[in-house]
Amino acid sequence: MKKIIKLQKKITFKKITEDFLVYKKQQIKESTYFNYAYKIDKYLLPAFEDLTLEEMTTYDYNRFSEVLLEDMQISNKFLKDILLVLKSILRYAEQRYDLKMKLDLINLPRVRMQDLRIFSERDKRKIKEFCMNSENTRYIGIGICLYTGMRIGEICALKWEDIDLGKRLIYVRHTLQRVYVKPNETKIIIDSPKSEKSMRTIPMSNIVYTKLKEIKENYQKDDFFLTGDKSVYMEPRGYQYTFKSCLKKCKVPYRNFHCLRHTFATDCISVGMDVKSLSEILGHSDVGITLNRYVHSSDKMKKRYLEKLA
């Protein structure tokens, strides 16, 4: 038995990653598979390729993290994602070969939630007025995101068949993203959203419903919403440029596209929406994510609630 374990410890990290990807391929979404493969090829194999499992039980993973942060200038968030993939691979090795890989040696960096950047009331009003008075669906899509909290990949994948004007609902069924299939090669994937709860139904506000009803007759149900064509889509990178152009036309300082989602969520909390409902609309996998990200009580708010009790 000891001889078998000794042989198992001589297996290289490269061999384990190959087996790991084969094992995972049938269990995860295509985009997730390519995400794993990219991080392995780009960051993990250059560092660990020829190391044996035995050598990896004493490896200085903190030094590996320092190299990525300092030399490759990656963020704490991205480093955490890479280390989570590494842990998944070593956990797979533990289960397959009945080994103890000392996963506690891999310290995940603490990712601090920076203050969320949102659009001011004045800038938000400018964007809404410009987008919802436009006839260009690419600008209307930006307005929809500000009224629904949809992610950029979700609005890019949205088709008219996902819009039910009778029930006044938008069905978020797909997301469109460009993923790395190799370190220097990418491809577009249209897949289900990132988690089961990301597949959701979002009610339309009156302004969204009125605008969509106004332009609906110009499109077929299998047309992509942003392009008005069933075979031509708008990819997120290109839509970022449209968004930048929109802000310029509105004379609004630049914020990234995700700021629309943060602004929507913050507005929902400010008007008293309960966290469970907001979490479902945003498609968060856990209510705790919504709570930690958007619900921050101030002294003024606490005082107001205590006055109500009195």
Side-chain angles (χ1 to χ4, degrees):
M1 182 65 177
K2 289 183 178 180
K3 185 176 181 181
I4 294 175
I5 293 177
K6 190 172 182 180
L7 288 173
Q8 290 169 341
K9 287 185 177 181
K10 297 301 179 184
I11 296 171
T12 64
F13 180 75
K14 182 178 181 181
K15 168 62 176 166
I16 286 296
T17 60
E18 291 170 353
D19 294 344
F20 170 80
L21 287 174
V22 171
Y23 169 73
K24 279 289 186 181
K25 192 166 188 177
Q26 303 304 317
Q27 303 178 6
I28 56 180
K29 291 169 36 180
E30 185 182 18
S31 57
T32 305
Y33 172 83
F34 283 125
N35 187 294
Y36 282 175
Y38 172 71
K39 289 182 173 69
I40 289 169
D41 288 342
K42 178 76 173 178
Y43 300 102
L44 297 180
L45 285 182
F48 307 118
E49 182 172 8
D50 296 323
L51 292 183
T52 64
L53 293 181
E54 185 173 32
E55 290 170 325
M56 294 193 73
T57 59
T58 57
Y59 192 85
D60 184 0
Y61 295 107
N62 289 330
R63 178 59 190 151
F64 169 66
S65 297
E66 288 172 6
V67 169
L68 291 185
L69 288 171
E70 295 171 9
D71 296 351
M72 304 191 77
Q73 298 291 301
I74 68 171
S75 66
N76 272 6
K77 170 66 171 67
F78 194 57
L79 172 61
K80 183 177 180 180
D81 292 342
I82 293 169
L83 294 178
L84 285 172
V85 174
L86 175 60
K87 276 197 163 189
S88 293
I89 294 168
L90 296 182
R91 193 172 290 111
Y92 166 78
E94 281 188 333
Q95 294 170 351
R96 179 164 183 179
Y97 296 110
D98 194 26
L99 299 173
K100 184 63 179 172
M101 293 305 302
K102 300 181 181 178
L103 298 179
D104 55 316
L105 293 177
I106 304 175
N107 296 314
L108 299 179
R110 186 173 296 177
V111 181
R112 295 193 319 172
M113 282 299 297
Q114 303 296 333
D115 290 336
L116 296 175
R117 301 182 73 186
I118 63 174
F119 288 105
S120 68
E121 287 297 324
R122 180 170 175 268
D123 290 342
K124 184 171 55 180
R125 186 168 59 252
K126 286 182 179 179
I127 297 169
K128 286 181 175 179
E129 288 178 358
F130 174 77
C131 291
M132 302 315 285
N133 286 316
S134 175
E135 296 302 316
N136 186 329
T137 51
R138 298 186 185 192
Y139 290 138
I140 297 171
I142 292 169
I144 288 174
C145 288
L146 195 47
Y147 279 106
T148 64
M150 289 175 67
R151 301 177 178 94
I152 189 169
E154 294 168 345
I155 193 69
C156 287
L158 187 71
K159 290 190 172 185
W160 277 98
E161 63 191 7
D162 301 317
I163 298 170
D164 188 333
L165 290 174
K167 295 180 180 178
R168 299 193 179 198
L169 297 172
I170 295 175
Y171 299 99
V172 181
R173 295 164 170 154
H174 299 93
T175 187
L176 186 154
Q177 58 184 312
R178 181 173 288 279
V179 299
Y180 281 95
V181 293
K182 294 178 182 178
N184 296 309
E185 182 182 337
T186 63
K187 68 178 284 190
I188 287 290
I189 290 178
I190 300 177
D191 204 347
S192 57
K194 56 192 291 186
S195 70
E196 185 178 338
K197 290 191 177 179
S198 289
M199 295 186 68
R200 60 200 189 278
T201 302
I202 305 177
M204 298 179 201
S205 61
N206 285 335
I207 191 169
V208 171
Y209 168 75
T210 301
K211 189 63 185 180
L212 294 181
K213 186 178 180 182
E214 175 189 316
I215 64 174
K216 171 68 172 69
E217 62 183 25
N218 300 321
Y219 304 99
Q220 303 298 316
K221 67 175 185 177
D222 54 351
D223 288 341
F224 282 100
F225 177 80
L226 295 182
T227 63
D229 190 303
K230 65 181 179 181
S231 57
V232 179
Y233 51 76
M234 166 70 74
E235 68 169 283
R237 186 179 300 176
Y239 202 38
Q240 291 276 11
Y241 289 115
T242 301
F243 177 61
K244 194 172 183 178
S245 169
C246 171
L247 296 185
K248 191 173 182 180
K249 289 177 184 292
C250 295
K251 296 182 180 179
V252 169
Y254 179 74
R255 297 278 189 273
N256 65 37
F257 195 95
H258 211 64
C259 191
L260 296 172
R261 183 170 164 88
H262 293 324
T263 302
F264 166 78
T266 304
D267 285 350
C268 288
I269 292 295
S270 69
V271 298
M273 181 181 286
D274 67 277
V275 179
K276 180 71 164 59
S277 296
L278 177 57
S279 182
E280 291 176 357
I281 289 173
L282 292 174
H284 284 159
S285 58
D286 188 275
V287 175
I289 296 172
T290 316
L291 273 169
N292 294 330
R293 194 164 293 175
Y294 298 111
V295 183
H296 305 288
S297 58
S298 64
D299 288 340
K300 187 176 180 180
M301 186 182 295
K302 292 171 187 173
K303 184 178 180 181
R304 187 167 74 243
Y305 287 130
L306 290 175
E307 288 294 340
K308 286 184 178 181
L309 287 176

